[in-house]
């Protein structure tokens, strides 16, 4: 019975977002995104920069299998640019005589995954599986803030002081496993992903540079999260607009009902 209760408690804990922060006082890094709040919208310049970061860095290990190349037109890339991006990628598909063969990508293809299957992905990553990022921002509690922090949460474990370890709620006998990296924000603090992003790793185009956009780590992390947020919900803006319309409609309807009620009951004292 006790075992059953314990299992149920663990299952419940894993369902709630709280589990992520449990046992540590580590707060996510402060940041705000334009897409937050009931009226939030995407900043498509940021989404485009984030796509560049994903393409040049994350795509080496992570798929984005729910997004098609043609969807990139929604973030402001031209049809020709999208065609060129797709054509740069080799997609494995049936050829005219029914054999599997590589062909250049087309806008209608979904993003190509870096590994042919999960086993190959694990084999290339010391047994760990780099998850598909299509829905990552939705899959993690407070996803945008979490991934933004995660990308900047790497520390050299050997250099942490006892006080720092205590503040993060690390057990006294906490030891790093082989091939794992210390990350402040990852549940359990040991992650199999090597630090993927570093200052200056991606060079933005002149337009971005003229706008004064730097390519330091916080900016790169923020942009790639912006892109992944768009990928996880490309129709967010329509959803919010519909919500606002629905609320307006209900407010007007409530006013009408009130007026009708007053009229109907006017003679009753
Ligand atoms: C060298 C391969 C590699 C690269 C490059 C890489 N990752 Fe990862 N990533 C991994 C692996 C492996 C895991 C699984 C880690 C684990 O479960 O311990 C992972 C996990 C993740 C997770 C899930 C964390 C969680 O809470 O489960 C996110 C989010 C993520 N990566 C984002 C990114 C982003 C964004 C980039 C690009 C800036 C990136 N990764 C680049 C290998 C990589």
């Amino acid at each position: 019975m006790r075992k059953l209760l314990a299992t149920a408690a663990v299952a419940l804990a894993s369902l709630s977002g709280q589990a992520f922060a449990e046992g540590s006082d580590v707060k996510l890094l402060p940041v705000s995104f334009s897409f937050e709040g009931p009226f939030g919208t995407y900043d498509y310049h940021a989404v485009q920069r984030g796509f560049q970061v994903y393409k040049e860095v994350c795509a080496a290990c992570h798929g984005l299998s729910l997004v098609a190349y043609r969807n990139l037109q929604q973030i402001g890339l031209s049809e020709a640019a999208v065609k060129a991006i797709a054509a740069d990628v080799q997609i494995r598909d049936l050829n005219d005589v029914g054999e599997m063969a590589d062909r250049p990508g087309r806008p209608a293809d979904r993003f190509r995954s870096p590994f042919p299957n999960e086993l190959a992905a694990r084999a290339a990553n010391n047994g760990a599986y780099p998850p598909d990022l299509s829905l990552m921002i939705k899959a993690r509690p407070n996803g945008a803030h979490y991934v933004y922090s995660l990308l900047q949460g790497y520390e050299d474990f050997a250099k942490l002081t006892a006080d720092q370890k205590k503040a993060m709620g690390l057990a006294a006998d906490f030891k790093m496993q082989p091939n794992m990296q210390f990350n402040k924000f990852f549940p359990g603090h040991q992650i199999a992903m090597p630090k993927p992003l570093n200052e200056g790793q991606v060079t933005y185009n002149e337009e971005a540079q003229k706008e004064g956009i730097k390519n330091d780590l916080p900016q790169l992390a923020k942009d790639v999260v912006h892109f992944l947020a768009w990928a996880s919900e490309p129709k967010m803006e329509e959803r919010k607009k519909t919500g606002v319309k629905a609320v307006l409609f209900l407010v007007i309807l409530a006013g009408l009902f009130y007026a009708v009620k007053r009229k109907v009951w006017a003679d009753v004292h």
Side-chain angles (χ1 to χ4, degrees):
M1 186 65 194
R2 271 171 85 184
K3 254 194 192 157
L4 206 79
L5 276 177
T7 326
V10 169
L12 260 180
S14 67
L15 279 179
S16 83
Q18 288 299 316
F20 261 76
E22 211 174 299
S24 86
D25 300 328
V26 184
K27 283 219 171 62
L28 296 182
L29 301 174
V31 64
S32 64
F33 291 98
S34 67
F35 52 79
E36 291 171 315
F39 303 105
T41 53
Y42 293 121
D43 166 356
Y44 285 99
H45 287 250
V47 176
Q48 286 185 20
R49 293 194 301 271
F51 166 61
Q52 190 188 347
V53 179
Y54 167 77
K55 184 164 165 270
E56 291 181 17
V57 184
C58 322
C61 298
H62 291 280
L64 200 68
S65 59
L66 297 183
V67 183
Y69 294 106
R70 65 172 169 215
N71 298 139
L72 292 172
Q73 271 181 261
Q74 282 174 31
I75 69 172
L77 299 188
S78 70
E79 199 179 334
V82 169
K83 267 195 183 147
I85 289 168
D88 252 1
V89 180
Q90 290 294 314
I91 304 273
R92 207 153 181 75
D93 198 1
L94 286 175
N95 67 8
D96 292 346
V97 289
E99 286 157 358
M100 292 306 274
D102 284 346
R103 61 159 172 82
R106 298 191 279 257
D109 287 317
R110 304 282 182 92
F111 272 55
R112 192 193 118 109
S113 291
F115 302 103
N117 52 55
E118 183 174 338
L119 285 175
R122 284 188 189 277
N125 287 283
N126 291 316
Y129 180 59
D132 191 276
L133 294 182
S134 309
L135 295 172
M136 184 53 75
I137 299 296
K138 297 232 158 235
R140 295 286 176 269
N142 203 0
H145 291 245
Y146 165 67
V147 176
Y148 173 77
S149 302
L150 182 79
L151 294 172
Q152 302 177 75
Y154 287 84
E155 304 264 1
D156 187 348
F157 180 69
K159 288 196 186 136
L160 290 179
T161 65
D163 281 349
Q164 282 171 319
K165 288 182 192 168
K166 212 170 147 201
M168 281 182 236
L170 296 187
D173 56 351
F174 182 90
K175 276 210 185 68
M176 290 297 292
Q177 304 295 318
N179 297 322
M180 296 297 256
Q181 325 290 324
F182 186 84
N183 190 301
K184 264 197 282 189
F185 303 106
F186 190 64
H189 302 297
Q190 310 211 31
I191 188 165
M193 168 166 69
K195 186 175 193 251
L197 262 188
N198 291 291
E199 166 150 5
Q201 194 168 345
V202 173
T203 308
Y204 288 144
N205 63 18
E206 263 174 41
E207 203 183 315
Q209 289 178 14
K210 259 188 224 147
E211 283 173 38
I213 308 284
K214 288 187 272 191
N215 58 352
D216 53 11
L217 182 54
Q219 184 70 45
L220 295 178
K222 194 173 175 188
D223 288 344
V224 77
V225 166
H226 216 119
F227 170 67
L228 293 175
W230 167 80
S232 72
E233 200 185 354
K235 295 203 181 332
M236 176 205 70
E237 289 166 348
E238 284 159 51
R239 171 171 67 75
K240 285 183 179 170
K241 268 189 210 149
T242 310
V244 170
K245 277 187 213 152
V247 169
L248 266 178
F249 172 79
L250 289 173
V251 167
I252 294 170
L253 193 68
L256 273 176
F257 277 174
Y258 181 67
V260 168
K261 180 244 166 213
R262 290 201 21 142
K263 193 157 170 93
V264 169
W265 291 84
D267 297 336
V268 181
H269 296 293

